Amino acid sequence: VHIDRDALARAGMIVPGAAVTPLAEEFRLVKRALLLTARGIADRDVALARTALVCSANPGDGKTYCAINLALSLAAEQDIEVLLVDADFAQPDVLDRLGVADAPGLLDALADRPIDPETLVIPTDVPP
């Protein structure tokens, strides 16, 4: 699936393949800290080391913005695959922000047990 890079740029987000921006540098610093922490945890719990949750108590705090930018920053790393899951049941917005057509997702898999969650993964054209 093609990620709408123009929409990302208009929203002030990291654009895959574009020049490095101050925003990309800020998320690179966050990414480095997360990867360092993950390495420390990996010996005890590999699944936990491969998981990050972006959350806040209030709507409009920038969870989606941060999650997308962090995922794009992580995806730029060699040998790292990223699965971004929009678990915001009240206002799912990740697909729309990426310019991707609406599709079944996590809530559908939880509501309908026969759905295999792996079939809901949408591969993108974001290069490693």
Side-chain angles (χ1 to χ4, degrees):
V1 169
H2 174 73
I3 298 300
D4 187 341
R5 285 150 173 82
D6 292 333
L8 290 175
R10 284 191 305 275
M13 293 192 187
I14 294 173
V15 178
V20 176
T21 62
L23 176 70
E25 278 301 307
E26 291 295 326
F27 275 95
R28 185 186 66 77
L29 294 173
V30 173
K31 169 182 67 178
R32 290 284 171 234
L34 283 173
L35 291 174
L36 184 60
T37 301
R39 271 188 234 116
I41 295 171
D43 292 337
R44 295 180 313 244
D45 190 337
V46 174
L48 181 61
R50 296 174 43 100
T51 305
L53 173 67
V54 178
C55 63
S56 76
N58 300 307
D61 281 346
K63 296 174 289 293
T64 301
Y65 179 84
C66 288
I68 290 172
N69 281 308
L70 183 57
L72 290 170
S73 184
L74 284 164
E77 288 291 307
Q78 260 186 338
D79 301 324
I80 292 184
E81 255 184 83
V82 177
L83 176 63
L84 176 59
V85 177
D86 191 347
D88 186 341
F89 297 143
Q91 294 179 323
D93 195 29
V94 169
L95 291 180
D96 187 51
R97 297 252 192 124
L98 295 175
V100 175
D102 196 24
L106 177 61
L107 190 56
D108 300 294
L110 294 173
D112 188 1
R113 296 276 182 205
I115 294 178
D116 177 3
E118 290 195 25
T119 65
L120 303 175
V121 175
I122 303 170
T124 67
D125 63 347
V126 175

